[in-house]
Amino acid sequence: MTLTGAAALLILILTYAGVAIGRIPGLRLDRAGIALLGGAAMIAIGALSMEDAYRAINVDTITLLLGMMIVVAHLKVSGAFRGLGAIAIEHAHAPFMLLVMVTLLTGVLSAFLVNDAICLVMAPIVVHVTRVINRNPIPYLIATATASNCGSVATITGNPQNMVIGALSGISYPAFSAALAPVALFGLVAVIVIVRIVYRAEFTRNGELTPHISRGRMHRGQVLKAVVVCIGLAIAFFAGVPVAKAALIGGAILLLTRAIKPSRIYREIDGPLLFMFAGLFVVVAGAEKTLLTPDMIASAKNIGLDDVWRLSGFTAVLSNIMSNVPAVLALRPFIPGLENPERAWLVVAMSSTLAGNFTLLGSVANLIVAEQSKAAGTPLSFGAFFKVGLPLTLITLLAGTGWLAFGG
């Protein structure tokens, strides 16, 4: 191994370790800063030129994520999410129906919009409703987090790792959804069943519920415009329009308004996530250029990644060690050389997402719900989540892998 190769390997290990942990002890670097530092280090050691680094960043992924962030921000700021949540939850007149409403609403919204953002909206609504009707919020919060992960499996726009896979694989939006929407639907049913069983005391303590949510101020004109744009986006996605192009145009249209200050939308955009993506693209490209020989890439077949079951299990473990987006990028060099790359990408998308339900630390969506719960004075513990997360992850991964293995 050359000196540059050894340095690139060290940078790759340190960057991924930092991203997995979330910080570097003694420093104030977050995941975005760690990824950018790693990318800059790859350039500094000569693993990549500046031109190579620019080309390594998948602009389609960044553009799609930015466009969807703007769309979601507009839906949130205009009051559309809160209004929709109120309409759905106010029709839940029993604890089990409240669970079903929370799960389906979170899952369906997460299928088309970025799941992390949906959790930011839904978790406070769930906390508020359960407090008003004097119910235990924990089962409903766990359902919110796990349903957001399961629902987001269904489409390319459901979560960041699917966006990366959509851009890298070239799989069309309709083909992706046709393959994985059934897995997402099964996952949502599994969430309802498992939460109902694990927290049966909450649902056997029946009683008539009259949940009410303060809908706050709604910009009705902006809500209508956002709904029209979202419908247009869905049509464009399924009609084959490039998803990054459609999302960017949709987001730009929503910025044309006299009712909402642009600064309110910009505050909702997760800039650090965009920086983290850019940095990780450069780090992986530097490692790929200096470390991965054709023989090493071909070794993916030797360790059995052509097998759907083995690839699914490997992806799930890797996602829980280093988080789902870094895991997907780490697998990127090996997937094109497999016998059926399209199916392999679908397996990686399914497994990296569903693996996020394993523990409270498994996905950003889980952490968002946990933070919202803690802020409301009802902390969600690791053990409480794991009682649902363990069986849910095993069941959904087995079902999803079986579906893809046998022709899904």
Side-chain angles (χ1 to χ4, degrees):
M1 183 183 294
T2 65
L3 185 60
T4 300
L9 178 60
L10 180 62
I11 291 167
L12 178 71
I13 293 171
L14 291 177
T15 301
Y16 268 65
V19 169
I21 297 169
R23 63 186 179 86
I24 294 179
L27 297 176
R28 291 185 177 271
L29 277 177
D30 59 2
R31 286 185 169 90
I34 292 166
L36 285 175
L37 180 62
M42 284 293 186
I43 297 169
I45 66 170
L48 294 173
S49 67
M50 286 299 293
E51 290 73 21
D52 290 335
Y54 295 146
R55 286 192 291 269
I57 299 171
N58 191 296
V59 180
D60 275 351
T61 302
I62 304 295
T63 303
L64 172 57
L65 194 53
L66 175 62
M68 293 307 297
M69 284 179 179
I70 294 172
V71 172
V72 170
H74 195 93
L75 286 165
K76 181 180 177 181
V77 172
S78 68
F81 280 141
R82 195 168 187 86
L84 180 60
I87 292 170
I89 291 174
E90 285 174 359
H91 285 80
H93 298 300
F96 181 69
M97 283 308 301
L98 180 60
L99 173 66
V100 171
M101 286 291 190
V102 167
T103 301
L104 294 182
L105 182 60
T106 304
V108 171
L109 289 175
S110 296
F112 294 99
L113 304 168
V114 187
N115 67 330
D116 300 344
I118 300 305
C119 284
L120 277 170
V121 174
M122 286 298 299
I125 293 176
V126 170
V127 169
H128 170 73
V129 168
T130 51
R131 180 174 291 169
V132 168
I133 61 178
N134 194 29
R135 308 297 298 195
N136 177 12
I138 298 302
Y140 307 99
L141 287 169
I142 293 173
T144 300
T146 54
S148 77
N149 291 322
C150 290
S152 72
V153 169
T155 71
I156 287 172
T157 53
N159 57 56
Q161 63 269 21
N162 283 7
M163 294 184 190
V164 173
I165 290 168
L168 296 177
S169 67
I171 300 173
S172 70
Y173 200 95
F176 191 102
S177 297
L180 293 182
V183 178
L185 180 59
F186 176 85
L188 295 180
V189 173
V191 168
I192 295 169
V193 172
I194 293 172
V195 172
R196 170 66 178 80
I197 293 171
V198 171
Y199 289 95
R200 52 189 173 275
E202 164 65 17
F203 302 102
T204 53
R205 185 172 65 92
N206 275 319
E208 184 72 13
L209 304 184
T210 54
H212 177 71
I213 301 173
S214 173
R215 304 187 187 188
R217 183 185 176 191
M218 290 182 63
H219 298 276
R220 296 187 181 277
Q222 299 306 311
V223 169
L224 178 61
K225 183 168 72 170
V227 170
V228 170
V229 167
C230 287
I231 293 171
L233 280 177
I235 293 171
F237 290 154
F238 283 103
V241 176
V243 287
K245 177 181 177 181
L248 185 64
I249 293 172
I253 290 172
L254 289 176
L255 290 175
L256 288 170
T257 173
R258 292 184 300 174
I260 299 173
K261 292 181 179 179
S263 59
R264 293 186 65 191
I265 302 297
Y266 301 152
R267 282 197 296 268
E268 301 292 332
I269 294 174
D270 191 350
L273 182 62
L274 300 177
F275 293 148
M276 189 186 81
F277 269 61
L280 286 177
F281 275 126
V282 175
V283 169
V284 171
E288 187 175 351
K289 185 175 180 180
T290 56
L291 298 172
L292 294 183
T293 64
D295 288 341
M296 288 180 66
I297 294 174
S299 68
K301 290 188 175 182
N302 298 332
I303 62 174
L305 293 187
D306 262 328
D307 179 75
V308 169
W309 294 93
R310 189 168 296 183
L311 177 60
S312 177
F314 185 78
T315 303
V317 172
L318 201 63
S319 296
N320 272 286
I321 293 173
M322 62 175 60
S323 189
N324 39 36
V325 172
V328 167
L329 290 175
L331 288 166
R332 182 186 73 173
F334 303 98
I335 300 300
L338 299 180
E339 184 178 337
N340 188 338
E342 180 172 317
R343 186 177 67 174
W345 277 123
L346 292 171
V347 171
V348 171
M350 178 274 301
S351 185
S352 64
T353 302
L354 294 179
N357 282 331
F358 187 59
T359 71
L360 192 58
L361 306 177
S363 76
V364 175
N366 300 351
L367 294 174
I368 289 171
V369 172
E371 285 299 314
Q372 295 281 343
S373 178
K374 182 180 178 181
T378 55
L380 173 56
S381 70
F382 187 95
F385 186 92
F386 192 64
K387 286 191 294 185
V388 172
L390 173 62
L392 178 64
T393 302
L394 294 177
I395 290 169
T396 53
L397 280 176
L398 285 171
T401 307
W403 170 258
L404 293 174
F406 299 113

